[in-house]
């Protein structure tokens, strides 16, 4: 069984090293093959997603992904930017369901930017549609119209795309607190009107799940007002991108949050998927060995659960991370005054010791 490991840029390589170490500790026989991706590939004179990297993904059960993005490519067109690798992987493997669990580890409540009592017990999941909407709609280009510099992106959704992501979210809610919030902008956007209609129709098959609809601006507000009320949130690609960062920081550090992107492809024991921290490259701390590897380690746990069908190893890793936090292990961004912060490597060893 093979795992593709694509570290990418910024803190990607550091946190991937941590995740692979933990993965090896629970499943020593797993083979990991590393590939260049993003800015790391571009800098080597290759495309953001080189053929050799695609080939590694092709022969793998899952992809463990670090992060992509480098400031020097910021002004280039999408096809020449590191982010294009992610854009292609999501599209080509049809990874339409992006699952972003958000929870606060006991003891970290005080690190949240919200009052501790508001985030106590916070445990929600953002289900983000990942292969449609304004990210992928055509036309998507720069134009000169009547001599005026313009640009266009197209937001488009087809009913089946909405229905399949809604079903992922309803199924998830059914196994949790049975509450689904669908987020849209139906007072203005046609795509959102269709979204709301299709989610509403799909709800008929899930009478045990209570469904509420929120407009995205209101959802952004409710997330900081009553975050613990949310169970599962389902929304389109761009709204999900924005809301998942907002939901993420409620936990005190976006460096603690993993994600799984799943599609239609099966593996021997589960689904093919791409697993990555939701935080980005963190260029301000990259290369210093202080990044929080939690998100990457928990992404490896999701990989074991969804792609390798190994629930017990996944649960072992999650419990070990929890135990490390409960015992006071903290990386720099979470350490309180007077607490000595752990390096990426030292935090990882604390997790491994708790396995
Ligand atoms: C994310 C990221 C990506 C996105 C970027 C890196 C293209 O922000 O996974 O949330 O916008 O989807
Ligand atoms: Mg994002």
């Amino acid at each position: 069984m093979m795992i593709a490991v694509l570290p990418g840029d910024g803190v990607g390589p550091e946190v991937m090293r941590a995740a692979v170490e933990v993965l090896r500790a629970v499943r020593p026989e797993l083979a990991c093959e590393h590939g260049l991706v993003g800015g790391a590939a571009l800098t080597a004179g290759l495309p953001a997603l080189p053929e050799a990297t695609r080939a590694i993904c092709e022969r793998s059960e899952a992809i463990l992904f670090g992060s992509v993005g480098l400031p020097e490519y910021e002004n280039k067109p999408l096809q020449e930017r590191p982010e294009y690798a992610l854009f292609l992987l999501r599209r080509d493997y049809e990874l339409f369901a992006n699952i972003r669990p958000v929870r606060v580890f006991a003891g970290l409540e005080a690190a949240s930017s919200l009052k501790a009592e508001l985030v106590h017990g916070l445990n929600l999941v953002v289900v983000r549609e990942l292969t449609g909407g304004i990210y992928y709609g055509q036309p998507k280009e720069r134009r000169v119209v009547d001599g005026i510099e313009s640009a266009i992106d197209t937001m488009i959704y087809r009913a089946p795309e909405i229905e399949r992501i809604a079903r992922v979210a309803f199924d998830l809610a059914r196994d949790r607190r049975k509450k689904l919030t669908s987020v849209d902008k139906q007072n203005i956007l046609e795509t959102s009107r269709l979204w709301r209609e299709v989610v509403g129709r799909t709800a008929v098959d899930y009478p045990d799940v209570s469904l509420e609809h929120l407009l995205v601006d209101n959802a952004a507000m409710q997330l900081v007002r009553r975050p613990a009320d949310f169970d599962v949130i389902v929304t389109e690609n761009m709204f999900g991108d924005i809301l998942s960062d907002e939901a993420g920081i409620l936990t005190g550090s976006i460096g603690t949050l993993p994600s799984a992107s799943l599609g239609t492809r099966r593996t021997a024991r589960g689904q093919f998927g791409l697993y990555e921290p939701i935080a980005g490259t963190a260029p301000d701390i990259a290369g210093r060995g202080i990044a929080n590897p939690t998100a990457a380690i928990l992404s490896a746990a999701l990989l074991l659960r969804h792609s390798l069908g190994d629930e017990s190893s996944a649960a072992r890793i999650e419990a070990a991370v929890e135990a490390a936090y409960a015992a006071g292990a903290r990386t720099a961004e979470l350490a309180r005054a007077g607490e000595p912060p752990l390096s990426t490597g030292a935090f990882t060893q604390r997790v491994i010791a708790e396995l």
Side-chain angles (χ1 to χ4, degrees):
M1 238 179 278
M2 250 259 303
I3 308 296
V5 178
L6 314 184
D9 310 319
V11 296
E14 301 159 58
V15 299
M16 278 299 98
R17 241 186 326 270
V20 168
E21 240 181 290
V22 173
L23 210 47
R24 289 238 162 89
V26 292
R27 294 284 300 266
E29 85 294 358
L30 279 183
C32 295
E33 206 175 332
H34 286 66
L36 283 176
V37 78
L42 292 170
T43 311
L46 296 164
L49 183 64
E51 274 315 312
T53 301
R54 269 188 200 270
I56 295 173
C57 297
E58 257 333 286
R59 48 179 186 267
S60 297
E61 306 275 294
I63 304 170
L64 194 55
F65 193 94
S67 58
V68 286
L70 283 180
E72 53 266 46
Y73 297 97
E74 228 164 66
N75 298 320
K76 300 266 187 197
L78 177 60
Q79 285 80 356
E80 297 165 36
R81 279 206 306 276
E83 291 85 348
Y84 195 48
L86 211 43
F87 182 94
L88 291 176
L89 285 168
R90 290 170 178 174
R91 185 192 71 188
D92 297 350
Y93 286 109
E94 221 185 324
L95 301 170
F96 70 89
N98 182 219
I99 297 170
R100 299 185 160 184
V102 174
R103 46 169 303 204
V104 178
F105 291 101
L108 288 192
E109 293 89 349
S112 173
S113 37
L114 296 189
K115 295 188 200 89
E117 68 262 28
L118 280 180
V119 295
H120 182 79
L122 170 64
N123 183 339
L124 62 86
V125 183
V126 178
V127 177
R128 168 187 175 195
E129 201 290 325
L130 202 58
T131 50
I134 201 164
Y135 274 51
Y136 289 95
Q138 292 295 336
K140 182 183 192 66
E141 64 198 22
R142 293 284 283 254
R143 308 177 163 168
V144 176
V145 183
D146 299 331
I148 298 171
E149 223 184 340
S150 317
I152 182 166
D153 289 290
T154 303
M155 192 167 199
I156 177 165
Y157 269 106
R158 297 159 194 87
E161 287 176 295
I162 301 170
E163 186 182 328
R164 68 180 179 176
I165 191 73
R167 287 195 185 277
V168 169
F170 274 115
D171 284 334
L172 202 63
R174 185 167 261 180
D175 289 338
R176 294 173 42 99
R177 303 196 310 273
K178 303 190 190 328
K179 193 173 163 203
L180 178 62
T181 304
S182 173
V183 174
D184 61 40
K185 187 69 189 172
Q186 75 103 41
N187 50 351
I188 292 290
L189 300 179
E190 281 306 322
T191 42
S192 283
R193 301 182 77 83
L194 180 64
W195 183 277
R196 198 173 279 215
E197 248 173 71
V198 174
V199 172
R201 258 186 251 154
T202 310
V204 175
D205 294 339
Y206 299 86
D208 51 328
V209 176
S210 85
L211 170 67
E212 69 169 344
H213 299 280
L214 284 186
L215 296 173
V216 62
D217 47 353
N218 186 24
M221 184 171 70
Q222 300 305 335
L223 260 177
V224 290
R225 195 166 155 255
R226 49 172 185 96
D229 280 0
F230 290 94
D231 182 13
V232 179
I233 298 175
V234 64
T235 191
E236 67 88 41
N237 203 343
M238 186 169 60
F239 297 162
D241 178 43
I242 298 168
L243 291 180
S244 58
D245 267 29
E246 189 194 4
I249 198 59
L250 301 177
T251 65
S253 169
I254 201 161
T256 61
L257 302 172
S259 80
S261 301
L262 305 172
T264 46
R265 194 190 260 231
R266 308 284 310 169
T267 57
R269 298 192 169 189
Q271 282 174 280
F272 182 83
L274 182 150
Y275 302 85
E276 56 174 330
I278 86 156
T281 52
D284 50 325
I285 57 162
R288 292 169 50 199
I290 61 168
N292 187 341
T294 303
I297 292 170
L298 292 177
S299 294
L302 292 178
L303 182 156
L304 289 164
R305 173 173 296 129
H306 295 292
S307 291
L308 303 189
D310 184 357
E311 174 59 35
S312 77
S313 299
R316 250 183 96 196
I317 293 176
E318 288 165 349
V321 168
E322 218 164 303
Y325 276 115
R330 303 280 186 272
T331 41
E333 88 288 13
L334 286 170
R336 280 164 300 203
E339 264 178 7
L342 296 177
S343 67
T344 309
F347 184 90
T348 307
Q349 291 317 313
R350 291 283 291 269
V351 172
I352 290 174
E354 297 286 355
L355 280 169

